[in-house]
Amino acid sequence: MEGTTKKAEMVKLISAEGFEFVIDKQAAMVSQTIRNMLTSPGGFSETQQGQVTFPEISTHILEKICQYFYWSLQFASGKETEFHIEPEITLDLMMAANYLHLGRAQSIAQDYKLRAREQCGFFGKASK
Amino acid sequence: MSAPKKRNFKIEAFKHRVEIDPKYAEKTWRILEHAIHEIYNHNASGLSFEELYRNAYNMVLHKYGEKLYSGLVATMTSHLKEISRSIEAAQGGLFLEELNRKWEEHNKALQMIRDILMYMDRTFVPINHKTPVHELGLNLWRDNIIYSSKIQMRLLDTLLELIQRERTGEVINRGLMRNITKMLMDLGSSVYQENFEKPFLDVSASFYSLESQEFIECCDCGEYLKKAERRLNEEIERVSHYLDNKSESKITLVVETEMIANHMQRLVHMENSGLVNMLVDDKYEDLSRMYNLFRRVPEGLSMIREVMTTHLRETGRQLVTDPDRLKDPVDFVQHLLDAKDKYDKIISTAFNNDKAFQNGLNSSFEYFINLNNRSPEFISLYVDDKLRKGLKGFSEEDVETVLDKVMMLFRYLQEKDVFEKYYKQHLAKRLLSGKTISDDAERSMIVKLKTECGYQFTSKLEGMFTDMKTSQDTMQGFYASQSFDTGDSPTLAVQVLTTGSWPTQPSPPCNLPAEILGVCERFRAFYLGTHTGRRLTWQTNMGTADLKATFGKGQKHELNVSTYQMCILMLFNSSDHLSYKEIIQATNIPAADLKRCLQSLACVKGKNVLRKEPMSKDIAEDDAFYFNDKFTSKFFKVKIGTVVAQKESEPEKQETRQRVEEDRKPQIEAAIVRIMKSRRVLDHNNIVAEVTKQLQARFLPNPVVIKKRIESLIEREFLERDKVDRKLYRYLA
Amino acid sequence: MAMDRGRLVRMCIESASADAGSVERWRRQRRTLERLPAHLADALLRSLRHRRLLFPSLLEVFQHSVEVVELNGESSVDAEWMVYLGAFRHLRCLNLADCRSVNNSALWAVTGMSCLKELDLSRCSRITDDGINHLLSIPNLEKLFISETGLTTDGAMLICSFKNLTMLDMGGLPVTDKALFSLQILTRLEYLDLWGSKISDDGATILKMFPRLSFLNLAWTNVTKVPYIPSIASLNMSNCVIHSISPRDASKHAPLSKLLVHGATFADIGEVFSKLEGSYMTFLDISHSSIHSFCFLDNMKELQHLDLSACAITDDLVGHVAHIGGNLRFLNLNNTKITSLGLPVLAGSVNNLQTLLLSHTSIDDTALSYISMLPSLLVLDLSHTNVKGFTGWNREGLDKTHSLSLLQNLIHLESLNLEDTLLRDDAIQPLSLLRELKYLYLKSDFLSDISLHAVSSLPKLEFLGFRGGVITDYGLLFYIPKSMLSTLDVRGCWLLTNDALSSFCKMHPRLEVRHEQIQMLNVDQSPNHNAATSSASPLKFRQKREKMVHSPGRYPNVIYADERIKYSREELFELQLSQLADPSLCHPDKLPQLLRRD
């Protein structure tokens, strides 16, 4: 799907309190925002270090988000189970989900266009 | 994992309590503005994506999206203005490269900016109907760089200059060109069109206009076409390498217009090298090139077609009216076939089997073949010649090929009924004289005619074949039934012809020699014994006879003669000399035929078994004839044919034509009656049109003749004229 | 790798609005949701409303985030609610249609709300002219819906102070010409609804002064001549007497694309239509009108929607429809004199037709072979026709072939209505071949268990109506619905007992079963009932008078409003009991006026 080299299979997500969650890169990519962070050109610090800090997302919520990533992958591959959400965290979780842009199809097409250009060597490697 | 949160306090997941106040918004914006600067200055590494993203998010969340957006616009614009200045400063050849480099950098920066402002892009932008960030970036680039007064023209001029150089043979940096044109396309197809394509097309038009002018002065048609083709291919290749592929049809249109369409007339009619010359000289490659080039321009192919058909008609007309050619019908038809072959080859090799051209070919042939009203006769003679001797030794396939080609010519004839008449005559002669190379070939021809014209056309012809076969059987039966030895009574071979199938003119039989009469009577008895209700009449004007003759010094010869000649010669068995009058009385042969026979027996060198006194070419009524003892010939078998020209003499020709006309009258009348019966009422012009349509498979009726036939039908009360409208006719039941 | 749009967000909202307890649990945590983005807040609020978990003080939580509030049909909304709503800082769009408790003093709460752009007070009968006065201070109002409120023509004149209005719905109000004159100052108006008002031809002349007016509804008024309005696209003059649309000497033709003249009377139909540029027309409703000649159809080649129900169209005249049928998608010929002889003309000319309504005509089985030649057909209504299910019927009843099997050729057919036809059990079997069918409506006194099982194999069926039939308890209990089926309507099947019904419902809990004896239960539980009205944007609900809303209900034209607005609990109980006695009351024609389209 993407030609970016996978330097590491894993990526580190750090919560506001400093908790570190090490998860599969593929799972993290369920979030469009994280995907952009890790694949944007230009050498942002996240890309370089392979980790993202979220000073505004609490540990509990971030944990739930990570669980959601894995659940989403499972669901997409056919295993349809329940994902339980306690009412107390619904609002925060919702805001975090919104923040992390979990899967809106709309801008994906645009995204592919930009990234595809990158792939075919637009930057100075055009073929004759 | 972390411990569950206590629920008594309002613990926000987002730690930093943010105030919603303008100062905060300003501060946040500054952070982002700074980031954008860094990105443009290639200083972005080390920035935290998350922090920037979060800041943008917060701005939008607190309804400061507008501030963020307009700030973005302002910042990008100012950067772009700077970039614009640096591009303007580039010298000469580096201009394009600098532009390209900055474009790539801009795109990279744009992507990064869009990524960190993603939240604004997907929430604020659509709701407020703003341009999304990526598109915004392209638009700003377009407005500040491409449309900048110092860059716009320079860019265009540079591009056009490079193309010009490439056209004159230089090598240019195609990759760079590609990037630049792609950039213009990305900015919008109207940008590409206004800022490059339209001027490009204009410049190309003038370029090719000049070039074509040059070429046409110094090149001949073939060379010019080669050059035009080359330029065309060049342009197509140029598009595929570094222009947008929608430009292909536009630039090819320019080349086609300038190089071909504008010079079409001159090229086609160029002396010594134009289309006509190419046709004459079978220049397939040049013709093919011309076809392919001309088909791209409007009216191109129709021009070629017109010139070709005109030329063909003219050539054809000359062919059919050339008196030399007309002397030899076989040669005449052969030339026609050769012409057809030639043009068929041209059309299939060079003109791509184009149907329209085929049609032009057909119409031309139809035109000039029918200019000569002897064409039907000549074609029949051609077939006759082939079937007598011309196709001897050919394989079956080759025979078919030749006959098929003849059929092609047949189709062009307008007077097919004339052909039918002649074909019948010639076929009868072939059958009766046994001079056909192959029965299969004959039948094959009949089948072809049947396929083409229908059953009625060939039913009589088939009848002739049947008669021949039946006669064979009859003869076998006859000899089987003759139990006694016939001794020296002559051997008889009879062909029984059904009246009506054969194109014979009945003539009263002459007086046959006694020996012949006897065996003839025996045959007649035999035949009528097996076939009651029929009547046999001997056609003495058509038979042949083989005579054994002994001459003065004892030379024996076998003479092959016609029946009339036999009757004459047999007379000399009983006397040595006879006068004309005696001969005519004894034999009862019609005068004209008799004269011809005597001529062939006495006046032809090498065949003079009789001697005439006085010796002269023509037969007079008071001539006397003697048996020629002194006759010599190298050959044992001597054939003495009657002077019957293969080609019809004038009076015979008139006769045939008259017969044809006579035959046409009832056909026209039948057609009129058929039409009127179904239509009941019809006006004159329409009748003529309908009749023509119905009969055109056989011949083209003359409107005057049709009118006469209508009058005749009125007299016979099949039709009546309308009382009010003189042009209207009504069917009378 | 396809991403599901906002699935986690959706799941969070569902969890947060699961029940009152859940609401309490997160509510306790915070007082305001000022950091919640507007679209999330709107969605959460909507979900809470669906689940009936909203109450006034809960609204306070949303006051900093929500932009869109939809409370249409909620009779509990009153002044207390409005107080909280008035505090919403970013409220852009407020829908209070059919909130009958809202009165003038409640409106006081929203005075001066500068963010409010859209306000719907349709059918709030307690709102009068005074109420409008309160609203005058809302400066940025762009869309205002006040149909069937208590406004008088004086109140209507006050509307002119809303300078930014683009949409104005004043249907059912006694607006006079004078009031309309005063409104000409609203130059931005694009949408104007004046049905049932006191406008006359004099007032109508002012309409051409609105430069952007594209939608105009003058149904049930005394207007007979409509002037040339430059940007008009959609015009409704149902139940009017029409003399002319666009003046005689206009050099331009009105570019009308949508015209509704249901139940109208024409002075001279040829004259009227000659002024219209037929080639723009895409939607035409002339049902129930006095038309006899249909030549005016001839140049309407772009027509997609044509309603000729209850018109004097006959088989001879159908040619006019066929002539322009190339783009037609919807054709309504209900209650006309069309017979099977008229259909061959149509087949072949209307290849894009998706909906064909032939209810209450004398169509019979011979028509089916022609109907089966309409390749794009999705919806077919043959109710109340002479379809028997067999062709080649002769006296002995021999030699007959199934006619419904012809419908197999309609490979896209989704909805088929065969209610009140002459079908018997032996004709039903071919219906099982219609694999794409989603909605099937059957009603007959003679259909039995056999037919029920014959149609049970349809894989995509979502709604099965099997009313008035002779189904036994066994037949019902042995019926196995496919997984896609969501509703089974067996009202009028009088043999069924309460026990059988409740067992069946227990066996298939996800299935909605409609029957007189369980009517009550379903009314309480199904949240889907309102789905059709509230999930759509508020605007669609407004146009119920004009537009066909495709609900999966039985009659596409009928919109079931929330029954509870009309009846109290006691009244509903009464209804239930009375229906048990007389099943024919289920017939929608017996529904109260408000619940059906006229």
Side-chain angles (χ1 to χ4, degrees), chain A residues 33 36-37 40-43 45-46 48 53 55-56 63 88 98-99 101 111 114-115 117 122-124 126, chain B residues 1 7 13-14 45-50 53-54 103-104 107 111-112 114-115 118-119 122 134 179 186:
Chain A
T33 309
N36 285 349
M37 277 191 218
S40 192
S45 63
E46 285 83 357
Q48 288 169 350
T53 312
E56 303 223 329
E63 180 186 3
E88 287 81 350
N98 179 49
Y99 182 81
H101 193 178
D111 216 51
L114 273 179
R115 304 217 183 258
R117 176 184 289 161
F122 180 84
F123 299 102
Chain B
M1 299 297 164
R7 286 191 188 130
F14 284 55
S45 69
L47 289 178
S48 163
F49 187 112
E50 198 277 337
Y53 180 87
R54 187 169 19 96
W103 164 248
E104 286 171 11
N107 271 296
Q111 189 184 346
M112 291 166 71
R114 200 214 60 173
D115 285 344
M118 178 75 89
Y119 189 80
R122 69 179 168 103
H134 179 72
N179 287 348
D186 287 342

Side-chain angles (χ1 to χ4, degrees), chain B residues 403-609:
Chain B
L403 293 181
D404 280 332
K405 287 202 177 145
V406 173
M407 283 309 292
M408 282 200 294
L409 290 184
F410 171 78
R411 274 184 210 111
Y412 294 133
L413 289 174
Q414 278 168 357
E415 299 195 295
K416 295 188 171 71
D417 57 346
V418 174
F419 175 88
E420 187 193 351
K421 262 233 166 359
Y422 281 110
Y423 192 78
K424 242 202 235 170
Q425 286 176 14
H426 298 150
L427 176 64
K429 289 206 185 98
R430 285 200 298 278
L431 287 175
L432 291 178
S433 57
K435 290 239 169 53
T436 172
I437 46 159
S438 138
D439 257 2
D440 286 337
E442 294 279 356
R443 283 190 195 279
S444 167
M445 188 66 193
I446 306 268
V447 166
K448 291 186 203 304
L449 286 170
K450 183 150 83 169
T451 320
E452 190 64 30
C453 301
Y455 167 69
Q456 274 117 335
F457 198 90
T458 53
S459 60
K460 298 212 173 102
L461 304 175
E462 288 178 336
M464 290 198 257
F465 273 97
T466 322
D467 282 347
M468 297 300 295
K469 182 85 181 24
T470 319
S471 299
Q472 266 187 328
D473 295 338
T474 312
M475 286 318 299
Q476 277 183 334
F478 176 63
Y479 276 112
S481 74
Q482 302 299 304
S483 43
F484 53 90
D485 182 30
T486 44
D488 35 39
S489 67
T491 324
L492 187 64
V494 181
Q495 268 111 5
V496 183
L497 311 178
T498 317
T499 325
S501 293
W502 294 78
T504 50
Q505 287 85 288
S507 67
C510 65
N511 295 340
L512 293 166
E515 304 92 321
I516 309 297
L517 261 179
V519 71
C520 287
E521 282 312 308
R522 277 213 292 277
F523 179 81
R524 182 199 287 278
F526 166 76
Y527 188 81
L528 292 177
T530 45
H531 300 90
T532 48
R534 295 190 183 184
R535 211 174 48 181
L536 285 180
T537 320
W538 294 107
Q539 298 291 301
T540 47
N541 53 343
M542 290 179 74
T544 57
D546 290 331
L547 298 174
K548 288 206 179 74
T550 318
F551 291 92
K553 300 226 176 81
Q555 316 95 296
K556 289 197 169 57
H557 287 283
E558 200 174 285
L559 304 175
N560 177 263
V561 296
S562 74
T563 310
Y564 283 159
Q565 288 165 336
M566 171 197 68
C567 298
I568 298 171
L569 288 175
M570 293 294 279
L571 292 176
F572 284 91
N573 269 349
S574 28
S575 76
D576 267 344
H577 77 264
L578 290 161
S579 71
Y580 178 85
K581 288 201 178 69
E582 287 170 319
I583 297 177
I584 199 173
Q585 211 173 21
T587 60
N588 241 338
I589 297 174
D593 294 316
L594 182 58
K595 286 203 175 121
R596 273 213 302 273
C597 291
L598 288 172
Q599 256 182 333
S600 57
L601 288 170
C603 307
V604 179
K605 183 168 171 187
K607 310 273 170 88
N608 48 338
V609 293

Side-chain angles (χ1 to χ4, degrees), chain C residues 45-53 74 527 530-531 534-535:
Chain C
L45 189 64
R46 208 175 293 134
S47 177
L48 290 171
R49 185 222 160 169
H50 277 168
R51 314 283 177 106
R52 320 213 56 76
L53 296 168
E74 302 288 344
N530 301 325
S534 41
S535 60

Side-chain angles (χ1 to χ4, degrees), chain B residues 18-56:
Chain B
V18 284
E19 259 84 67
I20 313 161
D21 86 271
K23 278 210 208 92
Y24 161 75
E26 184 62 27
K27 204 163 58 148
T28 316
W29 163 243
R30 289 279 160 235
I31 297 174
L32 286 166
E33 189 185 24
H34 173 76
I36 295 177
H37 283 309
E38 295 297 271
I39 288 173
Y40 268 106
N41 295 334
H42 313 294
N43 238 350
S45 69
L47 289 178
S48 163
F49 187 112
E50 198 277 337
E51 184 189 337
L52 298 170
Y53 180 87
R54 187 169 19 96
N55 278 308

